[in-house]
Amino acid sequence: MMNNPQQGHFQHPAALVETQQIGAGTQIAAFAHLLPGAVIGADCEISGQVLIENAVRVGDRVRIQSGAQLRAGARVEDDVFIGPNALLLSDASGVARKPKLAAQLFTVIREGATIGANALLMPGVTIGRKAVVEVAAVVTHDVPPNAIVTGNPARIVGYVDLPHPKPPVAVLTQPFSEPYSDDEVQARKSTRVRGVWLHRMPVITDLRGNLSVGEFGKDLPFEPKRYFVVFDVSSREVRGEHAHRTLHQFLVCLKGECALVVDDGTTREEVVLDSPAVGVHVEPLVWGVQYKFSSDALLLVLASDKYDPHDYIRDYEDFERLVAA
């Protein structure tokens, strides 16, 4: 590569670099094409055959592999990896027609995200911090922080930094006597996530049918003031994606199964709910996501208070700042 001491970066003689806005330490390989309006941060690696159009903003330490295309207006934050032949679409023509909608028309990749080879990102999508778009995925909607998506259209199949999920039923479920004792109903197990507890719920078997029960003030860690039921969820859809400031929740999957991801800002864990014998107590300031719903899943959620929109924390970065304070 040829050193460009005036600008502090390196570019191959066969690269077509029309922009002057390139950070120190960035390396640009042969046959890459950077248009005049592109802005590139420091210590980036831009491989051959990469196209970066006007008004694209690339942060520091970004790696862009061969053949990737960043169309006009795309925003890429620090420490992002973009795989070979990935395509980031943006509707730059729409910005000229409707400048107030610019933020909705540009593709945004947040800090630390990974975009796999041959992935296609449609105009206006945002890829959350540390999210992973797998190879050849077609992303048509925003991807939450830390989520792993795949397929066409892309759907969430997991979250980063999660150990292999295991159903808690094998750990917690044991036969109950009838009437059951106080020691039995108090059985609970802490998770790796601060403020999340697994509870063993009474299940009474009978030839006439089985029964699961929970008594307020006895089996449950708080007295509910509200409940809601989640059902008929398409398996590719995700529920939750928020935390609460003061609200406690207690979740029981009455039928079918789903997965619950809980996150205290430091540790993240996935719990499989597939039996009414297990309840999960989620305390305030825990980020929660429900996904992987079976077609017959019926999820009961008990809440410690009435609905209050101001109690919700819906932005993960706001949540991280709050729990770190």
Side-chain angles (χ1 to χ4, degrees):
M1 291 186 134
M2 180 177 65
N3 186 6
N4 189 333
Q6 184 176 1
Q7 293 187 339
H9 68 271
F10 296 85
Q11 64 186 64
H12 193 281
L16 179 54
V17 179
E18 302 179 81
T19 179
Q20 301 297 312
Q21 302 180 81
I22 301 175
T26 287
Q27 301 181 14
I28 305 171
F31 308 113
H33 186 182
L34 281 61
L35 272 61
V39 178
I40 311 299
D43 299 316
C44 295
E45 297 179 14
I46 300 175
S47 299
Q49 306 290 344
V50 167
L51 172 64
I52 302 179
E53 293 189 343
N54 287 311
V56 172
R57 301 289 185 269
V58 176
D60 298 336
R61 299 173 301 280
V62 174
R63 297 170 58 198
I64 307 176
Q65 300 291 290
S66 299
Q69 298 184 35
L70 282 61
R71 296 294 176 83
R75 304 287 192 265
V76 180
E77 295 185 355
D78 297 344
D79 301 302
V80 166
F81 174 85
I82 300 176
N85 300 311
L87 176 56
L88 281 61
L89 295 177
S90 286
D91 187 0
S93 62
V95 175
R97 296 192 306 269
K98 301 177 180 178
K100 292 184 179 180
L101 297 180
Q104 301 176 29
L105 299 169
F106 289 157
T107 300
V108 178
I109 304 179
R110 299 293 188 194
E111 179 184 2
T114 297
I115 310 300
N118 297 299
L120 171 62
L121 278 56
M122 298 302 290
V125 302
T126 295
I127 309 302
R129 289 179 57 220
K130 299 183 180 179
V132 176
V133 176
E134 294 196 339
V135 171
V138 178
V139 181
T140 59
H141 294 85
D142 292 351
V143 176
N146 305 302
I148 302 170
V149 301
T150 190
N152 180 9
R155 61 184 181 87
I156 297 174
V157 294
Y159 285 80
V160 298
D161 300 328
L162 282 176
H164 184 70
K166 296 181 179 180
V169 177
V171 177
L172 292 175
T173 302
Q174 300 173 6
F176 280 90
S177 59
E178 187 178 359
Y180 47 91
S181 68
D182 289 342
D183 289 339
E184 287 177 327
V185 300
Q186 291 300 323
R188 71 173 188 169
K189 177 178 181 292
S190 64
T191 68
R192 296 170 57 249
V193 177
R194 182 183 65 252
V196 179
W197 301 85
L198 304 177
H199 286 248
R200 181 162 54 91
M201 304 302 294
V203 174
I204 311 303
T205 60
D206 192 288
L207 292 176
R208 298 165 294 177
N210 298 334
L211 181 148
S212 178
V213 60
E215 294 185 13
F216 298 165
K218 183 178 181 182
D219 309 337
L220 303 180
F222 58 86
E223 187 162 338
K225 295 184 179 178
R226 176 170 59 98
Y227 80 90
F228 57 91
V229 178
V230 180
F231 60 98
D232 288 344
V233 178
S234 172
S235 61
R236 67 182 182 87
E237 297 298 332
V238 175
R239 305 283 305 186
E241 292 185 334
H242 60 255
H244 288 279
R245 300 176 188 277
T246 62
L247 188 78
H248 292 251
Q249 291 185 309
F250 194 85
L251 298 87
V252 181
C253 192
L254 301 178
K255 184 179 180 183
E257 68 176 61
C258 66
L260 170 66
V261 175
V262 284
D263 181 345
D264 60 15
T266 302
T267 304
R268 190 175 304 115
E269 187 168 352
E270 180 173 325
V271 179
V272 176
L273 296 178
D274 61 358
S275 168
V278 174
V280 181
H281 175 204
V282 179
E283 296 182 359
L285 297 180
V286 174
W287 188 267
V289 178
Q290 302 108 44
Y291 75 128
K292 295 182 181 177
F293 286 85
S294 64
S295 59
D296 61 342
L298 185 64
L299 178 65
L300 172 67
V301 182
L302 303 174
S304 64
D305 209 343
K306 298 178 181 179
Y307 174 74
D308 178 5
H310 301 294
D311 191 64
Y312 285 74
I313 308 167
R314 299 188 181 276
D315 184 277
Y316 187 79
E317 294 183 23
D318 290 343
F319 164 73
E320 285 186 308
R321 285 191 289 267
L322 188 59
V323 297

PDB file of all heavy atoms in Angstrom, residues 116-138:
ATOM      1  N   GLY A 116     -22.759  -9.996   8.587  1.00  0.00           N
ATOM      2  CA  GLY A 116     -22.180 -11.143   7.912  1.00  0.00           C
ATOM      3  C   GLY A 116     -22.075 -10.966   6.403  1.00  0.00           C
ATOM      4  O   GLY A 116     -22.672 -10.058   5.807  1.00  0.00           O
ATOM      5  N   ALA A 117     -21.329 -11.855   5.783  1.00  0.00           N
ATOM      6  CA  ALA A 117     -21.128 -11.820   4.334  1.00  0.00           C
ATOM      7  C   ALA A 117     -22.463 -11.927   3.601  1.00  0.00           C
ATOM      8  O   ALA A 117     -23.361 -12.674   4.001  1.00  0.00           O
ATOM      9  CB  ALA A 117     -20.214 -12.963   3.913  1.00  0.00           C
ATOM     10  N   ASN A 118     -22.595 -11.140   2.525  1.00  0.00           N
ATOM     11  CA  ASN A 118     -23.765 -11.172   1.645  1.00  0.00           C
ATOM     12  C   ASN A 118     -25.063 -10.755   2.328  1.00  0.00           C
ATOM     13  O   ASN A 118     -26.144 -10.995   1.801  1.00  0.00           O
ATOM     14  CB  ASN A 118     -23.945 -12.570   1.021  1.00  0.00           C
ATOM     15  CG  ASN A 118     -22.778 -12.944   0.137  1.00  0.00           C
ATOM     16  OD1 ASN A 118     -22.491 -12.274  -0.846  1.00  0.00           O
ATOM     17  ND2 ASN A 118     -22.082 -14.014   0.501  1.00  0.00           N
ATOM     18  N   ALA A 119     -24.977 -10.141   3.488  1.00  0.00           N
ATOM     19  CA  ALA A 119     -26.189  -9.642   4.149  1.00  0.00           C
ATOM     20  C   ALA A 119     -26.712  -8.421   3.401  1.00  0.00           C
ATOM     21  O   ALA A 119     -25.946  -7.657   2.812  1.00  0.00           O
ATOM     22  CB  ALA A 119     -25.895  -9.289   5.597  1.00  0.00           C
ATOM     23  N   LEU A 120     -28.018  -8.255   3.432  1.00  0.00           N
ATOM     24  CA  LEU A 120     -28.683  -7.113   2.798  1.00  0.00           C
ATOM     25  C   LEU A 120     -29.465  -6.358   3.854  1.00  0.00           C
ATOM     26  O   LEU A 120     -30.342  -6.927   4.510  1.00  0.00           O
ATOM     27  CB  LEU A 120     -29.621  -7.593   1.687  1.00  0.00           C
ATOM     28  CG  LEU A 120     -30.555  -6.547   1.061  1.00  0.00           C
ATOM     29  CD1 LEU A 120     -29.746  -5.439   0.396  1.00  0.00           C
ATOM     30  CD2 LEU A 120     -31.503  -7.196   0.060  1.00  0.00           C
ATOM     31  N   LEU A 121     -29.157  -5.068   4.019  1.00  0.00           N
ATOM     32  CA  LEU A 121     -29.859  -4.210   4.975  1.00  0.00           C
ATOM     33  C   LEU A 121     -30.693  -3.210   4.195  1.00  0.00           C
ATOM     34  O   LEU A 121     -30.152  -2.418   3.417  1.00  0.00           O
ATOM     35  CB  LEU A 121     -28.865  -3.483   5.879  1.00  0.00           C
ATOM     36  CG  LEU A 121     -28.302  -4.248   7.083  1.00  0.00           C
ATOM     37  CD1 LEU A 121     -27.629  -5.541   6.681  1.00  0.00           C
ATOM     38  CD2 LEU A 121     -27.324  -3.372   7.863  1.00  0.00           C
ATOM     39  N   MET A 122     -32.003  -3.243   4.396  1.00  0.00           N
ATOM     40  CA  MET A 122     -32.902  -2.381   3.659  1.00  0.00           C
ATOM     41  C   MET A 122     -32.821  -0.941   4.183  1.00  0.00           C
ATOM     42  O   MET A 122     -32.402  -0.701   5.316  1.00  0.00           O
ATOM     43  CB  MET A 122     -34.327  -2.908   3.763  1.00  0.00           C
ATOM     44  CG  MET A 122     -34.494  -4.305   3.166  1.00  0.00           C
ATOM     45  SD  MET A 122     -34.024  -4.395   1.425  1.00  0.00           S
ATOM     46  CE  MET A 122     -35.354  -3.440   0.682  1.00  0.00           C
ATOM     47  N   PRO A 123     -33.228   0.037   3.367  1.00  0.00           N
ATOM     48  CA  PRO A 123     -33.123   1.442   3.785  1.00  0.00           C
ATOM     49  C   PRO A 123     -33.855   1.720   5.095  1.00  0.00           C
ATOM     50  O   PRO A 123     -34.970   1.242   5.316  1.00  0.00           O
ATOM     51  CB  PRO A 123     -33.779   2.203   2.628  1.00  0.00           C
ATOM     52  CG  PRO A 123     -33.633   1.311   1.448  1.00  0.00           C
ATOM     53  CD  PRO A 123     -33.756  -0.085   1.991  1.00  0.00           C
ATOM     54  N   GLY A 124     -33.205   2.473   5.968  1.00  0.00           N
ATOM     55  CA  GLY A 124     -33.847   2.939   7.180  1.00  0.00           C
ATOM     56  C   GLY A 124     -33.747   2.027   8.374  1.00  0.00           C
ATOM     57  O   GLY A 124     -34.203   2.389   9.458  1.00  0.00           O
ATOM     58  N   VAL A 125     -33.152   0.822   8.235  1.00  0.00           N
ATOM     59  CA  VAL A 125     -33.058  -0.061   9.395  1.00  0.00           C
ATOM     60  C   VAL A 125     -31.897   0.369  10.284  1.00  0.00           C
ATOM     61  O   VAL A 125     -30.907   0.947   9.818  1.00  0.00           O
ATOM     62  CB  VAL A 125     -32.893  -1.544   8.991  1.00  0.00           C
ATOM     63  CG1 VAL A 125     -34.053  -2.000   8.131  1.00  0.00           C
ATOM     64  CG2 VAL A 125     -31.569  -1.781   8.302  1.00  0.00           C
ATOM     65  N   THR A 126     -32.037   0.092  11.573  1.00  0.00           N
ATOM     66  CA  THR A 126     -30.976   0.330  12.541  1.00  0.00           C
ATOM     67  C   THR A 126     -30.569  -1.003  13.148  1.00  0.00           C
ATOM     68  O   THR A 126     -31.418  -1.765  13.623  1.00  0.00           O
ATOM     69  CB  THR A 126     -31.439   1.289  13.647  1.00  0.00           C
ATOM     70  OG1 THR A 126     -31.704   2.582  13.076  1.00  0.00           O
ATOM     71  CG2 THR A 126     -30.380   1.436  14.730  1.00  0.00           C
ATOM     72  N   ILE A 127     -29.278  -1.276  13.137  1.00  0.00           N
ATOM     73  CA  ILE A 127     -28.734  -2.478  13.761  1.00  0.00           C
ATOM     74  C   ILE A 127     -28.183  -2.060  15.119  1.00  0.00           C
ATOM     75  O   ILE A 127     -27.281  -1.222  15.207  1.00  0.00           O
ATOM     76  CB  ILE A 127     -27.617  -3.103  12.898  1.00  0.00           C
ATOM     77  CG1 ILE A 127     -28.087  -3.296  11.446  1.00  0.00           C
ATOM     78  CG2 ILE A 127     -27.167  -4.422  13.508  1.00  0.00           C
ATOM     79  CD1 ILE A 127     -29.307  -4.159  11.290  1.00  0.00           C
ATOM     80  N   GLY A 128     -28.729  -2.621  16.197  1.00  0.00           N
ATOM     81  CA  GLY A 128     -28.380  -2.196  17.546  1.00  0.00           C
ATOM     82  C   GLY A 128     -26.953  -2.542  17.935  1.00  0.00           C
ATOM     83  O   GLY A 128     -26.265  -3.337  17.275  1.00  0.00           O
ATOM     84  N   ARG A 129     -26.496  -1.965  19.027  1.00  0.00           N
ATOM     85  CA  ARG A 129     -25.147  -2.194  19.536  1.00  0.00           C
ATOM     86  C   ARG A 129     -24.878  -3.677  19.762  1.00  0.00           C
ATOM     87  O   ARG A 129     -25.683  -4.391  20.363  1.00  0.00           O
ATOM     88  CB  ARG A 129     -24.935  -1.451  20.850  1.00  0.00           C
ATOM     89  CG  ARG A 129     -24.847   0.058  20.723  1.00  0.00           C
ATOM     90  CD  ARG A 129     -24.659   0.703  22.084  1.00  0.00           C
ATOM     91  NE  ARG A 129     -23.477   0.208  22.770  1.00  0.00           N
ATOM     92  CZ  ARG A 129     -23.415  -0.059  24.066  1.00  0.00           C
ATOM     93  NH1 ARG A 129     -24.481   0.096  24.830  1.00  0.00           N
ATOM     94  NH2 ARG A 129     -22.298  -0.485  24.615  1.00  0.00           N
ATOM     95  N   LYS A 130     -23.741  -4.134  19.243  1.00  0.00           N
ATOM     96  CA  LYS A 130     -23.246  -5.503  19.422  1.00  0.00           C
ATOM     97  C   LYS A 130     -24.185  -6.557  18.843  1.00  0.00           C
ATOM     98  O   LYS A 130     -24.033  -7.754  19.135  1.00  0.00           O
ATOM     99  CB  LYS A 130     -22.966  -5.789  20.899  1.00  0.00           C
ATOM    100  CG  LYS A 130     -21.908  -4.894  21.507  1.00  0.00           C
ATOM    101  CD  LYS A 130     -21.611  -5.259  22.957  1.00  0.00           C
ATOM    102  CE  LYS A 130     -20.548  -4.351  23.555  1.00  0.00           C
ATOM    103  NZ  LYS A 130     -20.259  -4.680  24.971  1.00  0.00           N
ATOM    104  N   ALA A 131     -25.141  -6.154  18.030  1.00  0.00           N
ATOM    105  CA  ALA A 131     -26.000  -7.128  17.369  1.00  0.00           C
ATOM    106  C   ALA A 131     -25.228  -7.858  16.281  1.00  0.00           C
ATOM    107  O   ALA A 131     -24.197  -7.381  15.792  1.00  0.00           O
ATOM    108  CB  ALA A 131     -27.227  -6.441  16.779  1.00  0.00           C
ATOM    109  N   VAL A 132     -25.731  -9.028  15.880  1.00  0.00           N
ATOM    110  CA  VAL A 132     -25.088  -9.845  14.857  1.00  0.00           C
ATOM    111  C   VAL A 132     -26.107 -10.156  13.761  1.00  0.00           C
ATOM    112  O   VAL A 132     -27.156 -10.744  14.028  1.00  0.00           O
ATOM    113  CB  VAL A 132     -24.545 -11.163  15.442  1.00  0.00           C
ATOM    114  CG1 VAL A 132     -23.974 -12.045  14.340  1.00  0.00           C
ATOM    115  CG2 VAL A 132     -23.481 -10.878  16.498  1.00  0.00           C
ATOM    116  N   VAL A 133     -25.782  -9.743  12.529  1.00  0.00           N
ATOM    117  CA  VAL A 133     -26.565 -10.113  11.352  1.00  0.00           C
ATOM    118  C   VAL A 133     -25.810 -11.239  10.669  1.00  0.00           C
ATOM    119  O   VAL A 133     -24.681 -11.043  10.200  1.00  0.00           O
ATOM    120  CB  VAL A 133     -26.753  -8.909  10.403  1.00  0.00           C
ATOM    121  CG1 VAL A 133     -27.490  -9.336   9.138  1.00  0.00           C
ATOM    122  CG2 VAL A 133     -27.493  -7.783  11.110  1.00  0.00           C
ATOM    123  N   GLU A 134     -26.403 -12.411  10.611  1.00  0.00           N
ATOM    124  CA  GLU A 134     -25.676 -13.562  10.099  1.00  0.00           C
ATOM    125  C   GLU A 134     -25.607 -13.558   8.575  1.00  0.00           C
ATOM    126  O   GLU A 134     -26.255 -12.751   7.894  1.00  0.00           O
ATOM    127  CB  GLU A 134     -26.313 -14.854  10.630  1.00  0.00           C
ATOM    128  CG  GLU A 134     -26.162 -14.999  12.143  1.00  0.00           C
ATOM    129  CD  GLU A 134     -26.427 -16.396  12.640  1.00  0.00           C
ATOM    130  OE1 GLU A 134     -27.100 -17.170  11.920  1.00  0.00           O
ATOM    131  OE2 GLU A 134     -25.962 -16.727  13.757  1.00  0.00           O
ATOM    132  N   VAL A 135     -24.824 -14.469   8.048  1.00  0.00           N
ATOM    133  CA  VAL A 135     -24.534 -14.539   6.610  1.00  0.00           C
ATOM    134  C   VAL A 135     -25.819 -14.597   5.788  1.00  0.00           C
ATOM    135  O   VAL A 135     -26.730 -15.376   6.096  1.00  0.00           O
ATOM    136  CB  VAL A 135     -23.658 -15.770   6.322  1.00  0.00           C
ATOM    137  CG1 VAL A 135     -23.514 -16.003   4.826  1.00  0.00           C
ATOM    138  CG2 VAL A 135     -22.285 -15.609   6.969  1.00  0.00           C
ATOM    139  N   ALA A 136     -25.896 -13.731   4.764  1.00  0.00           N
ATOM    140  CA  ALA A 136     -26.975 -13.722   3.774  1.00  0.00           C
ATOM    141  C   ALA A 136     -28.342 -13.344   4.347  1.00  0.00           C
ATOM    142  O   ALA A 136     -29.363 -13.529   3.681  1.00  0.00           O
ATOM    143  CB  ALA A 136     -27.065 -15.068   3.058  1.00  0.00           C
ATOM    144  N   ALA A 137     -28.382 -12.812   5.550  1.00  0.00           N
ATOM    145  CA  ALA A 137     -29.664 -12.376   6.113  1.00  0.00           C
ATOM    146  C   ALA A 137     -30.172 -11.144   5.364  1.00  0.00           C
ATOM    147  O   ALA A 137     -29.387 -10.314   4.899  1.00  0.00           O
ATOM    148  CB  ALA A 137     -29.509 -12.057   7.594  1.00  0.00           C
ATOM    149  N   VAL A 138     -31.488 -11.036   5.265  1.00  0.00           N
ATOM    150  CA  VAL A 138     -32.121  -9.872   4.650  1.00  0.00           C
ATOM    151  C   VAL A 138     -32.870  -9.136   5.757  1.00  0.00           C
ATOM    152  O   VAL A 138     -33.895  -9.611   6.253  1.00  0.00           O
ATOM    153  CB  VAL A 138     -33.080 -10.274   3.527  1.00  0.00           C
ATOM    154  CG1 VAL A 138     -33.767  -9.038   2.948  1.00  0.00           C
ATOM    155  CG2 VAL A 138     -32.334 -11.022   2.430  1.00  0.00           C
TER     156      VAL A 138
END
